[in-house]
Amino acid sequence: GHVVADLRVLIARLAGDASLPVEAWLCAALEARPAHATAWLDLTEWLAEAGREEDAFRAASEGAACVDVPQVTAALEVRRARALEARGDESSACRSYQRAAKLDADAVEAAFAAARLLRRSGAWCEAAECLGDFANRHRDAAARAELLIERGRLLAGPLEDVPGALSAYRQAR
């Protein structure tokens, strides 16, 4: 079943054997166990590395819908968001980044990307709120400080909320 397929994929990756049909083994693992989290991640990464971005997008979308491991679902949402952003669909990309940030308190890339897209669309308040909410849930002190400093920049700059900016900067210390 899926354990054998997982082992074969791992062995093929370690050996660098391009002749082994990695995609077939991953698909077999997913057929045996549709909610197999690492197989979805491996499949989307393998497809993206092979230059098959559309297939990677579809796999990430399907995997995100059926995997029940929040960190893996978040990683799949980030993959989806990157593809959506590359297509020019920034609104959908932003929603995927936001879902990833809500699912995984360590998904710093997703929080920054969502804030960036919100700023680009003119939603400055939402961008600041996104950074603040994520910073409040994040466990790593250095990343939390970085998020709060960026929030402070938004508040001090375009939003002209100096007291809010000072508060964000103080929290970042």
Side-chain angles (χ1 to χ4, degrees):
H2 62 16
V3 174
V4 172
D6 289 347
L7 290 174
R8 287 186 180 157
V9 169
L10 179 61
I11 291 166
R13 286 182 133 194
L14 292 173
D17 184 354
S19 66
L20 188 69
V22 174
E23 182 179 5
W25 290 114
L26 289 168
C27 289
L30 291 170
E31 192 173 307
R33 194 168 119 213
H36 191 291
T38 56
W40 281 113
L41 274 179
D42 286 344
L43 180 61
T44 58
E45 288 174 20
W46 186 85
L47 290 167
E49 287 172 11
R52 295 171 52 191
E53 286 298 329
E54 192 58 36
D55 291 334
F57 170 76
R58 280 195 295 276
S61 298
E62 190 175 339
C66 69
V67 169
D68 62 357
V69 179
Q71 294 81 3
V72 173
T73 304
L76 292 167
E77 285 290 350
V78 168
R79 167 66 68 195
R80 285 186 78 247
R82 287 182 192 143
L84 289 164
E85 193 172 358
R87 292 178 179 172
D89 187 353
E90 292 187 352
S91 177
S92 295
C94 185
R95 286 191 298 276
S96 281
Y97 283 130
Q98 287 174 314
R99 277 192 296 274
K102 282 184 183 5
L103 287 166
D104 185 358
D106 293 325
V108 176
E109 174 194 352
F112 275 116
R116 176 178 45 79
L117 293 176
L118 287 165
R119 282 192 312 263
R120 192 179 294 166
S121 73
W124 297 93
C125 290
E126 291 84 351
E129 186 177 316
C130 173
L131 291 168
D133 289 347
F134 190 78
N136 288 334
R137 294 184 306 110
H138 198 63
R139 294 181 287 263
D140 179 66
R144 185 174 185 279
E146 190 177 343
L147 290 156
L148 289 166
I149 288 169
E150 183 61 24
R151 181 173 193 272
R153 287 182 187 132
L154 278 172
L155 292 169
L159 295 174
E160 299 179 359
D161 178 1
V162 175
L166 290 173
S167 174
Y169 292 138
R170 282 188 202 108
Q171 290 175 28
R173 290 192 282 164

